[in-house]
Structure formats: C-alpha cells, structure tokens
Amino acid sequence: MASWPSSPTLLGKSTRRLDGPAKASGRATYAYDIRRPGMLYARIVRSPHAHARVRAVNVSAAEKAPGVRAVLPLVDVSQPDAAKAMYQGDEVVAIAADTEEQAHDAARLVTVDYEVLPHLATVEQAMRPEAPAVFPKGNVTQGSLEEEGDLAAGFAAAAHVVEGTYSTQVQTHSCLETHGCVAEWEGDRLTAWVSTQAVHATANGVATALGVPQTNVRIITEYMGGGFGSKLGPDFEVVVASKLARQAGKPVKLMLDRKEEQLGTGNRPSAYAKVRAGVDAQGKFVAFDAETWGTGGAGQGAGFPLPYPVYVWTSRRRRHRDVYINAGPQRAMRAPGHPQGSFITEVVIDELADKLGMDPLELRLKNLPPEEPNRMWGKYFQMAAARIGWSRRHKTGDPAPGPIKRGLGCAANRWGGGGSQQTRGHAEIHPDGSALIRIGTQDIGTGTRTVLALIVAETYGLPLGAVKVEIGDSRYPFAPGSGGSVTIGSVSPVARIAAEQALGQLVAKVAPSIGADPLALAAKDGRIFVKDDPSTGVTWKEACTLLGTTPIVVDSQWEKGLSSVGTSGVQFADVEVDVETGVTRVKKIVCVQDTGLIVDKLTAESQCYGGITMGIGFALYEHRILDRNTARMVNPNMEWYLLPGPSDIPEIDITLVDQPERGVVGLGEPPTISTAAAIANAVANAIGARVRDLPVTPAHVLAALDRQREGGTL
Amino acid sequence: MAPKDDFGFSRRDFLKTVGVGGIAAGVAGPPEAGAQTAAVGPGAVPITLTINGKAHRLEVEPRVTLLDAMRNRLNMTGAKRVCDRGACGACTVIVDGRTIYACSALAIEMQGKNIRTVEGLSEGTVLHPVQQAFCEHDALMCGFCTPGFVTATVALLERNPNPTAEEARKALDGNICRCGTYSRVLEAALSAKGVKRG
C-alpha cells in the first residue's frame, strides 16, 4: 500500500509555485487571453427586468449589422410559460460578430417586447401571504425540520436564554476572470478553452447540452482567473459560444463583462435565523431552537448548517425554508452555508456568555466534543488565544475613554474535504530521464500544478523542475471538479501511487544491472542506489537509459490511506471600532488550522491568507444590494460592490498544524468560514452592543449602538 | 470591416465621458498619424502606439481603449480586463512614468506616449526584480490580478525605491485581488531589490 515518505526532502517545505514566473510576467494564457484565427466575439442580450415574459424578439436589424455572423435565440417565444426572464440579466439572445465593438453594436439593435410581470425583490416581499405567485412551486419552500433531544427539557434546564434574529447578506463570487470561453469546431469535434473549475464536468455537460458524443468535446483550462465555486460547470456560456461557433463556422469568444458576472453567475445565498438558545448555570449548552430562511435568488439551495456543528447542544430544533426572489441564482460559494451558520451560532454563543457572565472562550471550551485528529478545537483555541493575547480581553464594551474602542472575538470552523476515489492519473518516465505526471484536474490558483510536481519529484528523488506536469485538459485522466476542498485529497494520492508504480518499474530494471534486490533500492538526490550501501548505484539518467527505447507508462487510480476527510480550525480577531463613525478596522487575525500533511507550506499559507481576506470582505464590506422596488442590482460592478483592498488587510498570523499522519487535507474552504464570526464578536466586545446582521457596516454599528441606548441588545 | 456611423448616439456618449478634446489632440499630435488632421472616425483610423519601446502601427476605431487595442489587436494579453471601468487595476500600465488603467484610456489618445506593460518588464527569461519577489513570496494565486499588481509595484518602486508599508499599501490600493494575496503582495513590494528608477 502506498504511503507518504517518513522523512521527505521536498514535501512540507516552502516551495515557490512552478507557474509563478508565467503569471508574474503576463505570459500565462487564460481563456480570456485566447485568440484563434478568424475568431468572433459574442455578446448576450439580457433582460433589464427582474421578471418578464418575452413576447417577441426582433433581431432583423442586428442580423444586418456590420460584422455579424451568428444570432442565437436563447428563449423560445412560442412557449409563453417558459419564455420568461426570472431575474435582471437573464439571457434572451446571443450574437457573434467579427469584432467586440461590432458585437456590442449589434446587441443594441435587438428589440425585445417584454411583458413586465410582478416580481419579488426581497425575502420579506416573497414571504408575505399576499405576495404574487411568481415561482411555479411557490415562493417559499415547504421547509425541512431537524430535531434532536428534548427541547422543552433543555429550556427548562436553562439558566439564561438568548433570543434574537440574525442575518447574513448575499455575497457574490466576483471572480476576476469572468465566466466564459473560446469555442472552436473542427468538423464535429469541439475544443473549448474555458475558465472553469471542472474540465471533465464541463466536457460532459456541454456534450450533453449540444447533443454530441462526449468523445468529441475537449475542454482546456491551462490557467483560470478564480472560481470560488461558481465555475464548477457546465457553464451556460460554453454552450452558447459553442452553438454560435457552429452556426458561424468560426471560433467564438464569449467572455462576460463585469455587470453580467455580478448579476447572474452565482452568489452565496442570504441567511436569516430567528433563534432562541439556552445555557444552564454551569455553562452547558442545553437548547437551540431556530426558524431559518434565506434566498438563493431564482435558484434553489439557501440552506446552511445551524447550530454550526462544532459545539454540542443537548437539544436542538431547526426549521428551514428557502425563499425565492427575482435575483440571480446562487451557486456553491467557498464553504457553502458554513460562514452563515458559523456567524449566527458564534454570535449567539457570545451573547450567552455575556448573560452568564463567563469568558466566551471558556464557555466554548466547555461545550466542545472530545478531541479527535479532525476536531482539535480545544487545543487550537488555546494556541490561538495565546497568539492574540486573549488574557488582555476586557468584558463586553471597551471601558477606554474616547471614540476608538478595541475588542477581541473568536470562532471555530470545520470542513469535510477528502478525495474522490474516481480520480485517475498517468505517469511516464522516458529513456532520456524526463518524467511526466498527467491528471485531468485544474489549478484554480490553489497551487495544484506545483503540488503534483512536488509529490512526483519527491518520489523519484529528483529536483522539482525535473517533473513535467500536465493538467487542465478533459482528455487527461479523470479528476473531480475543484470544489469542496477535495482537489488535493484526490490528485495527491494518485500522483504518489502512479509515481511509486513507475519508479518500481525503473528500479526493477536497475536492480539486476547492479546485482541488487529491487526492494533494497532507494531513489534520492538524482540517484537510484542500495539503501544500506549508497555508493552502489546509478544516476537517474543512467537508470533511464536501461529502458532502451521503451518509456515506462503507468495508469493508476486513487486509493485510501493517503488523505483524510474532516478538518478543523479556529480564528481570532482583534478590531478597532470608531463609535462616532461606526467604522470598523480589523487590526489582526490569528488563524490556527489543521493542514494534515503539508505538501507546500507556501501555497498552504496562501490559502489561509486568501480565505481570511475573503472572510473580511464578508464581515465588513461585500453586499449584493437589490433595489427594493425594481429588484435590479444597485452595485453590479467593482466600485460599489466593495471588495477588500490592500489597505483593508490587517496583520494575519497563521499557524498551520502539520499532522502528516493524517495524509493530505483540503484547505481551500475552511479558512474563510470563521473570519466573519470572529470579527463580529470582536466588534461587540469593543462597542458593547451586538451587530446581528452582516456586513458590519458603519450603519449597522451605529444602529446597534442606538438600540443599546434604547434598552439594548445585550 | 468597420461599422458605419449607424450608432452615433452611443459612441458620442462614450467620447463625451472621456473627453473628445484629448482625442482630437492625440490624433493630430504625432507625426506617425499621417497628414490627416481632419475629424476622425467613426471608422478605423491608423495610429501608432509605442509600447515597451517598440512602435506598433494599427487601425482602430476612435472608441477602442488602449486595453482592447493591446489585447484584441496586438495580442498583448498581459494586462487583463476585469472590472471594465477603472476600479480594479488588473489592466494597469505605465504611461510616461505614471500608472493608468488601460481600460479607461482610448488607444488613439496614447499616441506619442511611452507605454510600458508587464510584457516589457522581464528580459528574455530573466524576471524583473519585482516579478522575482512576487514569485518568492507567493504574491500570486490564480494570477489574474498579478500583471496589474506587478506593474503598479514597479511604478511605485521606480518613484520611491524604499517605501514604507503604508506607502506601498496606498500605491497598490487601486488594485484588487479576489484570491486575497494582499499580505504577500505587500511583502513582495517591500522586499524587491535593485529596482532602477525608470
């Protein structure tokens, strides 16, 4: 059975990304950068209305416009029930022309006859009994009920009860590279260069949508500019570009513009929870009762875990309903549901701690499940508390004079991850000594390319640069989409296994040539030698010449034992709030995160920096704002949809907890889960009032302070 | 084939927002633009752009931005299009020593100016010290914002070779990274050595 090396040379160190120079020099080619001979540019005409029936589409002027080569209707006006735009930005017709400017001009010539229909802009509007029936299965789902333990007994045992309504906003993925592709046909075969997190899922989905054999579709993703869950494929843009390309007989580029990206390519659903929670006199969580709802816009799936499954509650009940509104549909976004559930739960816990008069960290420690390798919150809380200086924490409400108040807060996270047993890999060792690993995964900025090279180079005892990595092509062996933090757990074991098998074949050639037992040989420092007698051996190059003209070719599959499911971590925040302006500044974030076996420390840390930075955005700035009358997005751009920038980033202190015995563990999602909860708790600790709604904007802070003066939230 | 003047309303609106006067001056200015000094457009007009020290002759409609001229006509795709309107910095280039958003400048106005892009920073396979620092500090993840950050950092260090952390943050505040590598970008900016003044 395959295993990881006990004393690695390359693994666990800080190694620079292999593709750093290509990215830093601008040579890395993204889907947006692809130019093909004769390539056309496409635009999509979209509904300006949040809810409308498309009665007629007139494209005659557009078809005659200069440069136009293809026009593709995206709604069937002969089906009045189906020919509807369900949100602003819903697609109506697509156009391809010789130049981008001509495509824009032609799109403006399309006239659409809309019958504007009643729409729902907010969950409050959608949940009113008299709300118009906008969605075929109802505006609000029946709901699901989860129950565990005896809630009545739990509340009877409670010494203190907290009641409140909490909410989190809609966050958009805001990928820098928008969704899109370049699609090109050669006869009945399609090649598409796609900005995707899933080359295989895209190939299969697009083939099905186009009605062509899956063997005829090839998806290439050499580099891609961010996905965060919104590009798990198959994306609609690929289907549209492929159809336009087929119609025009030329390659077509369809990359969305920023407004389109913000309107319709996905978002993190909002979350609302009306909570009643109880703690007994000793500080044991005895009851958690919640009515929850949220909206994924015109799409399904606004669920989130609650109470967030870190702490143990002796009884709990939760009823959840999804609410539909006329807005862009949700898509999986970095740890779907978790930041929402974490924020609500961790803020409730801090409120319980205040009622109890207990330190909130002490209260958390009292209610954790037993420690296990994948749930080490108790240990991590104490490590992080020391790093942020928790002992200097004052009680809720900074007693210091003046408008600037300082506060500390904390929160925990958990995630599943693991790996897909469907993953396959291909390794080659050539007679000239060159080596290759090929897997149909993709590097979405996480460092997958570098991780694969490190693992194979480690196995062969070669320097990193000696291994060629081929990824980002649906013709390569199957790997899952890069979602759920499963990429490293899927591809690392396969790379290790393939390399071990290939090395085994090479060693079998070397052993007789030096009169040694193959099992006694090791590969290290560019040599294959007898473990107990290192002077007896050959260089890697010499070994490979023994292959004659036949390279070693290995196809392998995923096995258990090299990766783990389940991970945990904690984050602490130190903030400063100006109670006159309501402005919050994060001073420091401390992150302690289980990382299993670290393959590349540098890129692992970057995942934490990235998750925390996105968490700061969720905590303080990001907010998809819909006009409550028109349901149009007020901020579908990067000026008013506020993303954190360089000056918003605090000191970030990261401790990666290396547990090599666990094998590799995914790290893309967990570090973004608890940032907002920790910041919100730190804000309350600073100002002495609770902000129960994200983002923690100046307006929310000032409103919380006002409520506090009027009788309070605490 | 260039579009005829069928869509004047939209183009005029666009030109108004970016300043028609500048365009006319830009066209009339450099000798490469030829003898034609009358009003230009709406069709494509010949222009010359000096990018990374090399003159590029091309024909673009007056409404084409510097970014689109580089990306769609010259196949220089280092500068990225992200926000479409001067909010994110992914298209940052250095023009006569100052950073500008290439998405918010018209190509025709950039004639006679010294345009520097990320493609001009490395010499062969030798990276610019700033690019080297970005690689060493892992100041890049998906990499889509990276050319803009690298270019903005080069411009900063050419003006101010030893910036404080605060000065570096301010200089890079016009750039957005969604992967969240700011901490590392700042490390890279503060550690890049040997940047000559441009």
Side-chain angles (χ1 to χ4, degrees):
Chain A
M1 195 175 126
S3 62
W4 294 109
S6 51
S7 49
T9 308
L10 295 171
L11 303 188
K13 311 261 185 327
S14 283
T15 305
R16 284 179 223 164
R17 254 170 234 267
L18 283 180
D19 45 18
K23 289 174 176 175
S25 63
R27 290 196 311 270
T29 306
Y30 298 75
Y32 215 143
D33 301 332
I34 297 286
R35 273 217 317 178
R36 302 292 299 168
M39 185 178 82
L40 309 178
Y41 294 82
R43 296 296 309 154
I44 294 179
V45 176
R46 294 167 185 275
S47 169
H49 306 292
H51 188 207
R53 178 174 286 113
V54 179
R55 283 195 292 227
V57 182
N58 186 342
V59 295
S60 57
E63 280 172 333
K64 291 188 205 96
V68 171
R69 305 280 176 178
V71 175
L72 177 71
L74 302 174
V75 292
D76 181 357
V77 293
S78 70
Q79 305 286 328
D81 284 341
K84 279 184 184 173
M86 297 306 289
Y87 57 94
Q88 177 204 14
D90 218 347
E91 301 92 351
V92 178
V93 59
I95 291 171
D98 289 341
T99 70
E100 201 169 8
E101 292 80 13
Q102 288 170 335
H104 271 284
D105 291 340
R108 288 196 195 98
L109 295 176
V110 173
T111 52
V112 184
D113 177 15
Y114 294 102
E115 177 193 352
V116 177
L117 302 171
H119 60 254
L120 304 166
T122 65
V123 290
E124 291 79 9
Q125 290 173 15
M127 292 170 84
R128 282 176 311 159
E130 68 275 23
V134 170
F135 292 88
K137 291 179 186 168
N139 301 334
V140 182
T141 60
Q142 285 288 327
S144 57
L145 182 69
E146 297 165 30
E147 231 171 335
E148 199 178 300
D150 185 341
L151 200 67
F155 279 114
H160 303 280
V161 171
V162 161
E163 283 189 75
T165 301
Y166 305 80
S167 75
T168 67
Q169 77 280 31
V170 172
Q171 181 183 30
T172 65
H173 297 75
S174 300
C175 311
L176 291 200
E177 183 180 32
T178 53
H179 286 59
C181 71
V182 174
E184 178 172 335
W185 292 87
E186 204 183 324
D188 60 354
R189 303 179 75 86
L190 172 71
T191 302
W193 292 262
V194 185
S195 185
T196 182
Q197 296 174 244
V199 290
H200 280 280
T202 298
N204 296 349
V206 168
T208 304
L210 294 173
V212 300
Q214 293 180 351
T215 49
N216 287 17
V217 176
R218 180 181 184 191
I219 303 297
I220 299 173
T221 305
E222 186 74 11
Y223 296 97
M224 64 86 73
F228 314 107
S230 70
K231 293 180 180 169
L232 287 167
D235 287 334
F236 183 70
E237 294 78 19
V238 189
V239 178
V240 171
S242 303
K243 286 184 172 176
L244 287 167
R246 189 157 60 183
Q247 205 183 108
K250 285 167 174 254
V252 168
K253 175 184 273 192
L254 171 57
M255 297 300 300
L256 301 188
D257 69 19
R258 178 52 45 189
K259 184 176 179 182
E260 294 174 300
E261 183 75 11
Q262 300 302 91
L263 287 177
T265 61
N267 54 69
R268 184 188 296 287
S270 62
Y272 299 82
K274 193 165 180 291
V275 177
R276 209 169 147 245
V279 64
D280 75 11
Q282 286 72 47
K284 189 172 182 197
F285 295 158
V286 288
F288 192 103
D289 188 17
E291 288 282 331
T292 69
W293 63 99
T295 185
Q300 289 182 350
F304 53 94
L306 197 79
Y308 191 62
V310 167
Y311 310 97
V312 178
W313 300 79
T314 46
S315 71
R316 63 186 177 90
R317 183 175 65 179
R318 189 265 184 106
R319 186 189 302 275
H320 177 80
R321 287 172 298 166
D322 275 7
V323 182
Y324 294 93
I325 65 169
N326 294 103
Q330 69 93 25
R331 289 186 83 172
M333 183 164 180
R334 205 171 193 172
H338 282 234
Q340 301 97 298
S342 166
F343 166 77
I344 295 164
T345 306
E346 299 278 9
V347 171
V348 167
I349 289 173
D350 263 34
E351 294 191 35
L352 288 171
D354 277 340
K355 288 236 174 180
L356 202 55
M358 186 182 280
D359 179 285
L361 178 57
E362 189 189 339
L363 180 60
R364 283 175 172 79
L365 293 173
K366 277 177 180 286
N367 289 282
L368 290 172
E371 299 263 291
E372 282 175 34
N374 66 343
R375 37 191 209 183
M376 304 274 279
W377 297 292
K379 183 182 165 194
Y380 299 166
F381 267 128
Q382 278 156 344
M383 288 166 70
R387 293 196 73 87
I388 203 143
W390 188 261
S391 56
R392 70 190 156 88
R393 178 187 179 274
H394 49 71
K395 288 191 173 146
T396 299
D398 184 354
I404 307 295
K405 306 295 185 187
R406 196 84 180 247
L408 299 176
C410 66
N413 65 64
R414 69 177 294 177
W415 189 250
S420 162
Q421 58 178 4
Q422 308 302 325
T423 315
R424 301 287 182 271
H426 173 95
E428 294 176 5
I429 299 174
H430 287 264
D432 68 351
S434 57
L436 169 102
I437 181 78
R438 180 183 292 150
I439 303 181
T441 182
Q442 48 281 313
D443 191 335
I444 63 169
T446 47
T448 305
R449 192 178 268 113
T450 311
V451 157
L452 290 173
L454 279 169
I455 289 167
V456 177
E458 175 80 49
T459 308
Y460 295 161
L462 294 176
L464 184 61
V467 179
K468 186 176 185 201
V469 180
E470 293 189 344
I471 58 170
D473 190 327
S474 62
R475 286 197 179 165
Y476 298 164
F478 180 84
S482 294
S485 300
V486 301
T487 303
I488 200 162
S490 299
V491 303
S492 307
V494 169
R496 174 70 174 172
I497 292 161
E500 283 193 336
Q501 289 172 355
L503 179 65
Q505 292 188 25
L506 184 63
V507 163
K509 292 269 184 193
V510 171
S513 79
I514 58 171
D517 177 358
L519 293 175
L521 297 183
K524 209 174 175 183
D525 301 329
R527 293 181 74 242
I528 294 176
F529 54 88
V530 179
K531 275 179 234 169
D532 298 333
D533 177 15
S535 65
T536 304
V538 294
T539 66
W540 176 267
K541 276 220 157 211
E542 287 163 353
C544 292
T545 58
L546 298 173
L547 297 173
T549 57
T550 314
I552 293 170
V553 176
V554 164
D555 289 289
S556 64
Q557 58 187 55
W558 190 89
E559 285 174 22
K560 268 189 190 166
L562 295 173
S563 58
S564 281
V565 178
T567 183
S568 60
V570 303
Q571 289 182 10
F572 281 57
D574 179 352
V575 307
E576 213 173 66
V577 187
D578 183 330
V579 292
E580 289 178 352
T581 64
V583 171
T584 299
R585 301 280 315 169
V586 183
K587 305 298 286 182
K588 184 172 182 175
I589 298 282
V590 168
C591 157
V592 175
Q593 190 69 44
D594 163 34
T595 29
L597 173 104
I598 298 172
V599 181
D600 180 1
K601 188 153 178 272
L602 197 58
T603 53
E605 286 167 350
S606 287
Q607 290 283 27
C608 294
Y609 281 118
I612 290 164
T613 300
M614 193 176 270
I616 291 170
F618 187 56
L620 299 182
Y621 309 118
E622 298 183 40
H623 189 186
R624 181 193 71 183
I625 302 167
L626 297 182
D627 181 281
R628 81 185 71 163
N629 294 314
T630 63
R632 290 186 196 170
M633 187 172 173
V634 174
N635 53 352
N637 51 52
M638 290 171 76
E639 298 104 284
W640 304 115
Y641 183 89
L642 301 176
L643 297 162
S647 286
D648 301 318
I649 306 306
E651 178 191 353
I652 298 175
D653 177 304
I654 296 165
T655 302
L656 302 180
V657 183
D658 194 6
Q659 299 189 78
E661 63 285 358
R662 303 194 64 217
V664 293
V665 169
L667 196 54
E669 285 157 304
T672 205
I673 293 169
S674 38
T675 315
I679 290 172
N681 280 336
V683 167
N685 180 237
I687 67 174
R690 280 293 150 195
V691 178
R692 287 170 164 169
D693 309 288
L694 289 184
V696 183
T697 57
H700 279 155
V701 167
L702 296 176
L705 287 164
D706 280 348
R707 278 196 304 273
Q708 179 74 351
R709 283 181 207 109
E710 287 160 10
T713 54
L714 286 175
Chain B
M1 185 183 126
K4 292 188 186 128
D5 192 14
D6 291 332
F7 321 116
F9 65 97
S10 56
R11 186 181 58 259
R12 270 197 298 277
D13 288 348
F14 182 46
L15 296 186
K16 224 181 299 173
T17 61
V18 295
V20 178
I23 294 160
V27 171
E32 294 93 329
Q36 186 186 8
T37 50
V40 296
V45 294
I47 64 166
T48 302
L49 297 175
T50 307
I51 305 177
N52 301 322
K54 192 177 158 212
H56 297 265
R57 287 165 211 281
L58 63 159
E59 291 208 352
V60 294
E61 293 173 42
R63 61 175 164 172
V64 171
T65 64
L66 173 61
L67 180 66
D68 290 352
M70 293 194 302
R71 290 182 53 84
N72 295 344
R73 271 76 172 182
L74 301 175
N75 209 21
M76 299 178 69
T77 56
K80 305 299 185 212
R81 191 203 274 172
V82 169
C83 70
D84 302 325
R85 49 201 260 187
C88 79
C91 64
T92 300
V93 296
I94 305 171
V95 174
D96 292 344
R98 294 178 61 89
T99 51
I100 67 157
Y101 294 134
C103 74
S104 303
L106 292 178
I108 201 167
E109 282 194 298
M110 293 294 114
Q111 298 187 88
K113 296 179 189 292
N114 175 19
I115 302 162
R116 293 167 61 209
T117 72
V118 69
E119 285 93 347
L121 295 176
S122 45
E123 292 175 23
T125 56
V126 181
L127 295 177
H128 185 282
V130 168
Q131 293 170 323
Q132 188 67 29
F134 269 62
C135 293
E136 282 168 13
H137 291 270
D138 205 40
L140 39 82
M141 291 183 75
C142 84
F144 211 69
C145 71
T146 308
F149 266 106
V150 164
T151 309
T153 306
V154 168
L156 160 71
L157 296 180
E158 286 177 350
R159 265 194 330 272
N160 177 3
N162 294 300
T164 63
E166 207 43 45
E167 288 168 339
R169 272 197 207 98
K170 276 268 176 289
L172 299 174
D173 261 342
N175 293 60
I176 296 284
C177 166
R178 186 46 157 165
C179 296
T181 61
Y182 299 116
S183 304
R184 251 91 193 252
V185 167
L186 194 66
E187 282 175 26
L190 296 176
S191 70
K193 293 284 182 283
V195 179
K196 290 180 298 224
R197 285 179 159 273

